[in-house]
Amino acid sequence: MRQRSLIAITAALSAGALTLTACGSRDSDDKGSDSGGGTTVTIGVDAPLTGDLSALGLGIKNSVDLAAKTANKKKYVDGVTFKIEALDDQAQPSSGQQNATKLVADKSVLGVVGPLNSSVAESMQKVFDDAKLVEVSPANTNPALTQGTDWQNSKKRVYNSYFRTATTDAIQGPFAAQYLFNDAKKKKVFVIDDKKTYGAGLAATFTKEFQKLGGAVAGTEHINPDSKDFSAIATKVKNSGADVVYYGGEYPQAGPLSKQIKAAGAKIPVVGGDGIYSADFIKLAGASAAGDLATSVGAPVEELPSAKEFVANYKAEGYKEAFEAYGGYSYDSAWAIIEAVKKVVDDNDGKLPDDARAKVTAAMQNVSFDGVTGKVSFDEFGDATNKQLTVYAVENGAWKSVKSGTYTG
């Protein structure tokens, strides 16, 4: 799903820093709106901007906004000004689908960054694909979104308009299993998931690899994502004799779950994927979170030379929220759209063609550039070619990277 919560950006939001308005054009073709001799292109954003997952969603929105502003300052696409329109899906598939329909109706929108949740993406893909509107997610990790529901046996691309800069759970789950079994020497796991597309899928790929390595599953449970009382499950974990818990889900539930497992007497680490890699997990789990682990896509943004400018510019822009887990990937997703628009404009004598959406979608397949998160390009399924992952541990009240690498299957 979804990391860079290591830097807490607390500067007050500067006046006008987030003027997130849609371009007003509703032309009958796919061109951006014409504004004073130039063309305005809107990059849509769909993410949870309110609710439990808003920390991640706001980091996505701000990072896309920064990419648009950077392109404008550099005059990166001659004659084109970029704006963003950010819509709140509240992590709900029905809201995501409504947002997709709204973005499609705005003809100035030539690309969309988002969503955060794989379950929301499932509701949006066809809407965008029917309109030939490209979508680039910085956070979706469910393999079926790009490789079809039978991806474990026969990979087949379903939607040509869907791309992502995050690697998938087909890699993330096994990567975590290898670290826990080989590096952390954990042999007996209790597996819990939230029954959602992301969480259940991640837990399944983790479990398969952990057992393949020789690890044992001490027990399994499913939680209600709306619940905050996990005392019964915590007791089961304690009685199981497990030396580690793997949780497939997101931080609003993972934090309280970790706290209650420790309170029940099971002093063992809780481990999850990128969905728990947020400063808010540590706030919710409290002091007992020390030693808990999370995997996340890519290398730590703060440690990448390529990300220094992004981190500095984000801070200078004065966003009041941290860029969080997907900031760098959101910036790169937006920049991929900007690169595709530039290619289409350059190929059409400096103007957007009437079928700009279809042309931008086609151009995305061959986009390749050095981004915040490293090399950005896409394979034949629309998946990121960057397969790196990182394990983080809670130390002294913050996430610290402990190992980066790639899954060796």
Side-chain angles (χ1 to χ4, degrees), residues 85-220:
E85 179 177 12
L87 302 180
D88 181 11
D89 63 29
Q90 298 179 309
Q92 298 299 319
S94 58
S95 296
Q97 189 171 63
Q98 291 169 6
N99 291 346
T101 301
K102 182 177 181 181
L103 291 167
V104 164
D106 182 349
K107 299 302 181 183
S108 72
V109 177
L110 294 188
V112 177
V113 176
L116 170 70
N117 303 85
S118 293
S119 56
V120 175
E122 289 175 325
S123 74
M124 303 176 81
Q125 286 180 301
K126 188 176 188 304
V127 178
F128 287 137
D129 203 62
D130 287 347
K132 296 182 173 61
L133 179 58
V134 74
E135 169 190 15
V136 188
S137 173
N140 297 159
T141 53
N142 187 272
L145 296 172
T146 47
Q147 301 171 19
T149 54
D150 193 33
W151 62 271
Q152 290 178 305
N153 300 308
S154 178
K155 297 179 182 180
K156 180 181 179 182
R157 189 166 187 175
V158 185
Y159 298 107
N160 290 328
S161 64
Y162 179 85
F163 297 81
R164 54 179 152 199
T165 54
T167 195
T168 75
D169 294 333
I171 297 170
Q172 183 175 199
F175 180 77
Q178 290 186 350
Y179 177 81
L180 289 180
F181 190 85
N182 296 326
D183 296 74
K185 307 302 181 185
K186 301 299 183 183
K187 308 302 180 186
K188 194 173 182 182
V189 65
F190 197 104
V191 181
I192 306 169
D193 71 67
D194 63 1
K195 299 182 286 189
K196 292 162 68 174
T197 301
Y198 162 73
L202 182 61
T205 61
F206 165 85
T207 301
K208 183 177 180 180
E209 180 72 12
F210 193 77
Q211 290 179 311
K212 188 174 90 172
L213 292 167
V217 175
T220 60

Side-chain angles (χ1 to χ4, degrees), residues 6-23:
L6 300 181
I7 295 181
I9 298 171
T10 57
L13 182 62
S14 58
L18 286 178
T19 306
L20 307 178
T21 55
C23 309

